[in-house]
Amino acid sequence: MNEIPEAEDLLEKLDDEQRAAAESLIGPTCILAGAGTGKTRTITHRIAYGIARGYYTANRVLALTYTNRAAGELRQRLRDLGAAGVQVKTFHAAALSQLEFFWPQYAGVPAPAVIDSKLRVIADAGKRLGLHLDQVALKEIASEIEWRKYSMLSLEQYRERGASRPVVAGLSLDQHIALQEAYEEDKIRAQRLDWEDVLLLTIGMLRAEPMALDHVHQQYRFFTVDEYQDISPLQHALLDVWLGDRDDLCVVGDPNQTIYSFTGATSDFLREFESRHDGAKILQLTTNYRSTKSIVEVANRVVRDGSLIDPLTAVGETGSPVDVRQFETNKDEAAWIADAVAADLRAGVKPSEIAVLYRVNGQSETLEEALAEKQVAYQLRGGERFFNRPEIQRAMTAIRAEAATGGHPSKQLFEIVSDVCRSLGWSPRQPDHAGPERDQNDSLTALLAIVDELPQNTTVAQFAAELDERKRSQHEPVSAAVTLSTIHAAKGLEWSVVYLLGVVEGYLPIGYSTTEADVAEERRLFYVAVTRAKKRLTITHAKRDSQGSRERRPSRFLSFVN
């Protein structure tokens, strides 16, 4: 285990803004962190510094995130700083662990299990009502259920607001209400929960059982919430219960990156932090370390109206101007991007440092065909999970077996793991052509790379435990492939070279953005896309689709580029 460095040593490499935030250890603290300003670095150093100074006890700190990937990254950074005892969890994981711990004590039976997916339950409920719903409709309905529950609306309250909600899956409001009622009834009958129920029941249980609430208050004293602009009313209600009358809360967020309102997320809690918490400290991080000055200038223009945060200041090189290119059809557009990506790879850019982003998943099909023609390996974010791949599961089984027998005392961990990978067909030389063989080799290479992230004296047993934890938290390694991703799924990530595809009216902003608030969110989405790029950003759009039947107008957001 890493030793905690001397307290002041932890602050040496922070800039003045980051240091001020890290030194604000007690009481309500709000860190407004612009894109690329080192927010994760700041909050992890703040926690480690608080422990080193004796303000915090590691096991009484709870750091909350919204995704397992973010939790895994935060946990790794804290471990590197010698603060491995800090609890880092998503809201859902923290609530579920409490529900599973307390439910048997007060109900006398194990807590109900969480359903794997809403879609099957919705489909079955729909059939009983005579509704035949395809996958797209099921996903729309699931999203609307989540929005209602994260917004803490009963079905009666939802009905009252129904006129202001978009039509879901072509259903009338009465049909949709009936479907949601049937969905809830089926869950109760099967004694199952969805993830929103986990939060709701945890709130209800802690409010109803003072001894359970006291236990939680004794366990956790200091709270940090990452990406606070994405918190929903339901999550915030749970946070308030966890806090009680204490005020040792640090939140970090960027209202310019609020892009999940369709899930019930709202930046209101971030914007109103000072009025909600007496004596709150409001700090800003505005020095951008990620992107070139050219990219940061565009980003600042995108959000210059009404931003809660001061404009970003770039410290890097000026870089090349953001490149905007127009094509006749989206097939031409995809072919050009595939050629450009292939040229980047020949020039020595690592595939993991290249991404192509777009507004909706349907925009990737033509691009995938073009990349395949060029034999460019790519990965779809949101595709098959790394730790679910057959070759990785076989490797983990073999590594566990090595751990059970004590491994080979004379061999280093890297030798043991590389021997396992070789036994599964891995070669240090990548296959020449794209296909399943290369994909498998790339997966095993990524598994080997995890060894380099760990301390030199890591044992096989510790490595096996590390892999199990990463699988559980979905903390996946970076793959040696070009990334294709929606902008939403790319939030929190960065690449040296980014291509932003299909920036036309109807996609960005999306066609159903009819209100001023909708367009403002699409504009923030464009900001998120722009700020994913470190060195080079290319934005493309086409006049027509590949059939030439539909005219496309360039997005209004391109006015911020030139």
Side-chain angles (χ1 to χ4, degrees):
M1 182 181 294
N2 295 343
E3 295 294 326
I4 296 178
E6 292 293 329
E8 296 309 314
D9 292 345
L10 286 164
L11 304 183
E12 277 187 358
K13 295 182 179 180
L14 302 184
D15 66 29
D16 290 344
E17 291 178 332
Q18 294 169 342
R19 186 181 185 112
E23 290 177 328
S24 179
L25 296 173
I26 299 298
T29 300
C30 176
I31 304 170
L32 298 172
T37 57
K39 70 175 180 63
T40 304
R41 176 185 183 87
T42 302
I43 58 175
T44 51
H45 280 73
R46 178 184 181 273
I47 292 170
Y49 180 65
I51 294 170
R53 287 288 306 274
Y55 284 87
Y56 309 152
T57 302
N59 62 3
R60 298 199 70 196
V61 178
L62 178 59
L64 293 158
T65 69
Y66 295 91
T67 66
N68 288 313
R69 182 193 60 79
E73 180 185 356
L74 205 60
R75 194 179 296 114
Q76 179 64 47
R77 292 206 195 187
L78 285 167
R79 182 167 54 190
D80 293 342
L81 293 172
V86 173
Q87 294 294 301
V88 184
K89 298 182 177 182
T90 64
F91 276 87
H92 293 102
L96 183 61
S97 66
Q98 291 174 19
L99 200 64
E100 291 179 336
F101 179 77
F102 290 116
W103 192 275
Q105 299 179 40
Y106 295 104
V109 294
V114 180
I115 58 176
D116 293 330
S117 169
K118 289 184 176 68
L119 303 190
R120 184 179 300 173
V121 183
I122 296 169
D124 289 344
K127 286 178 183 176
R128 288 197 293 107
L129 297 174
L131 302 173
H132 300 286
L133 306 164
D134 60 20
Q135 283 295 110
V136 174
L138 291 173
K139 289 178 181 179
E140 287 183 12
I141 294 162
S143 294
E144 189 70 0
I145 290 172
E146 289 167 9
W147 178 88
R148 176 182 67 80
K149 298 176 84 166
Y150 278 125
S151 300
M152 299 189 75
L153 297 176
S154 67
L155 280 168
E156 293 74 17
Q157 291 169 322
Y158 179 80
R159 181 183 290 278
E160 292 172 4
R161 296 180 57 170
S164 63
R165 295 297 297 163
V167 175
V168 179
L171 301 179
S172 69
L173 179 59
D174 286 341
Q175 286 177 312
H176 187 58
I177 294 290
L179 181 57
Q180 288 206 40
E181 288 174 340
Y183 164 80
E184 297 295 342
E185 289 167 1
D186 286 358
K187 278 197 297 93
I188 293 170
R189 189 179 301 112
Q191 295 186 325
R192 293 291 184 267
L193 306 175
D194 60 27
W195 282 109
E196 299 79 60
D197 294 331
V198 171
L199 303 187
L200 286 163
L201 285 178
T202 302
I203 292 171
M205 179 187 65
L206 294 178
R207 286 174 174 169
E209 301 293 347
M211 290 182 65
L213 182 58
D214 185 62
H215 182 105
V216 172
H217 285 172
Q218 289 297 319
Q219 182 178 11
Y220 297 124
R221 180 70 176 81
F222 307 95
F223 295 82
T224 298
V225 184
D226 192 16
E227 302 286 6
Y228 191 64
Q229 78 279 349
D230 290 334
I231 199 165
S232 69
L234 177 56
Q235 289 161 328
H236 208 278
L238 179 57
L239 178 62
D240 282 342
V241 172
W242 284 337
L243 271 170
D245 59 2
R246 287 92 52 85
D247 64 357
D248 285 315
L249 170 66
C250 173
V251 303
V252 59
D254 180 1
N256 292 330
Q257 296 188 63
T258 303
I259 59 172
Y260 291 109
S261 66
F262 62 90
T263 67
T266 173
S267 63
D268 290 349
F269 296 107
L270 178 63
R271 293 177 178 277
E272 298 166 2
F273 188 85
E274 191 169 13
S275 62
R276 289 172 57 88
H277 298 275
D278 292 337
K281 296 179 182 176
I282 310 296
L283 302 155
Q284 290 198 39
L285 304 181
T286 59
T287 304
N288 179 286
Y289 296 95
R290 176 188 298 161
S291 306
T292 63
K293 292 178 180 176
S294 295
I295 293 170
V296 169
E297 285 174 3
V298 171
N300 282 335
R301 288 198 291 270
V302 174
V303 295
R304 65 188 168 196
D305 299 329
S307 176
L308 193 64
I309 304 179
D310 292 339
L312 297 173
T313 301
V315 296
E317 60 187 14
T318 300
S320 56
V322 175
D323 188 15
V324 178
R325 291 179 178 261
Q326 178 176 276
F327 300 90
E328 285 298 319
T329 69
N330 61 346
K331 191 170 183 179
D332 297 333
E333 180 183 21
W336 183 88
I337 290 176
D339 282 337
V341 168
D344 290 333
L345 296 173
R346 289 194 299 271
V349 181
K350 294 180 179 179
S352 60
E353 283 296 323
I354 303 173
V356 185
L357 308 182
Y358 35 81
R359 178 60 176 85
V360 297
N361 283 311
Q363 292 176 275
S364 73
E365 183 178 355
T366 305
L367 177 64
E368 290 180 60
E369 293 172 358
L371 289 171
E373 287 181 8
K374 294 292 179 181
Q375 296 189 343
V376 173
Y378 63 86
Q379 61 173 350
L380 286 164
R381 274 200 60 78
E384 183 184 21
R385 293 286 184 190
F386 176 82
F387 289 105
N388 290 343
R389 296 173 187 172
E391 63 271 17
I392 298 303
Q393 291 184 338
R394 290 194 292 270
M396 289 177 66
T397 299
I399 290 165
R400 289 191 198 100
E402 290 284 347
T405 59
H408 302 275
S410 61
K411 288 186 175 182
Q412 296 291 321
L413 177 62
F414 185 85
E415 293 179 84
I416 297 171
V417 178
S418 61
D419 285 346
V420 167
C421 291
R422 287 178 195 276
S423 73
L424 296 172
W426 174 79
S427 169
R429 180 174 178 177
Q430 185 185 60
D432 293 331
H433 300 292
E437 185 181 353
R438 180 192 280 186
D439 292 342
Q440 177 174 308
N441 207 73
D442 288 345
S443 294
L444 294 170
T445 299
L447 182 72
L448 265 171
I450 296 176
V451 177
D452 294 331
E453 300 175 18
L454 303 177
Q456 285 189 338
N457 59 350
T458 300
T459 66
V460 179
Q462 289 171 329
F463 183 64
E466 173 72 13
L467 294 179
D468 286 337
E469 169 59 24
R470 290 192 180 211
K471 180 179 180 179
R472 186 193 66 77
S473 64
Q474 298 175 18
H475 181 197
E476 302 184 348
V478 175
S479 175
V482 174
T483 298
L484 310 187
S485 175
T486 65
I487 304 171
H488 281 100
K491 187 171 176 291
L493 303 176
E494 59 185 46
W495 296 269
S496 292
V497 178
V498 171
Y499 295 89
L500 181 54
L501 171 151
V503 184
V504 295
E505 293 291 316
Y507 279 123
L508 199 63
I510 199 73
Y512 51 75
S513 296
T514 57
T515 68
E516 187 176 330
D518 291 340
V519 174
E521 178 142 339
E522 293 290 303
R523 182 169 166 178
R524 292 192 295 270
L525 192 61
F526 183 63
Y527 172 82
V528 168
V530 167
T531 54
R532 298 312 92 198
K534 294 191 286 187
K535 300 292 185 184
R536 181 154 46 86
L537 173 63
T538 303
I539 301 173
T540 65
H541 60 96
K543 294 180 182 178
R544 294 182 299 278
D545 60 24
S546 55
Q547 285 74 38
S549 59
R550 183 179 297 179
E551 292 287 337
R552 297 288 192 188
R553 291 185 295 114
S555 169
R556 70 195 76 177
F557 300 147
L558 292 178
S559 63
F560 300 119
V561 179
N562 300 315

